[in-house]
């Protein structure tokens, strides 16, 4: 079940099963055809992705930045 996409065409999915949502696995499919399962939850996946502690395999690197809008 998809829960997010990247602007580069990657998909972030839940691999569902008979167990409830607390037991679902995050699955990542890259635009390059690579895919893998992440054992943590979605929030931990995003935190690891942004912090740089996640091995990216086929995903592009993330370079987070903080920008102020409307400030002169």
């Amino acid at each position: 079940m998809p829960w997010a996409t990247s602007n580069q065409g990657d998909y972030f999915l839940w691999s569902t099963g008979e167990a409830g949502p607390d037991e679902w696995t995050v699955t990542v499919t890259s635009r390059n055809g690579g895919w893998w399962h992440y054992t943590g939850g979605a929030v931990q996946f995003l935190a690891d992705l942004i912090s740089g502690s996640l091995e990216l395999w086929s995903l592009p690197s993330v370079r987070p930045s903080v920008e102020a809008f409307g400030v002169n």
Side-chain angles (χ1 to χ4, degrees):
M1 176 184 339
W3 56 269
T5 61
S6 73
N7 60 357
Q8 290 91 14
D10 308 299
Y11 288 88
F12 307 96
L13 315 159
W14 288 116
S15 292
T16 63
E18 292 184 20
D22 291 338
E23 303 300 319
W24 293 352
T25 303
V26 172
T27 300
V28 179
T29 62
S30 77
R31 68 190 179 288
N32 299 326
W35 63 274
W36 70 93
H37 299 292
Y38 177 80
T39 57
V43 172
Q44 187 62 51
F45 171 81
L46 293 173
D48 289 348
L49 180 65
I50 292 169
S51 73
S53 64
L54 180 69
E55 186 176 345
L56 296 176
W57 294 283
S58 298
L59 291 175
S61 63
V62 175
R63 294 183 196 104
S65 64
V66 176
E67 298 176 20
F69 292 99
V71 177
N72 293 327

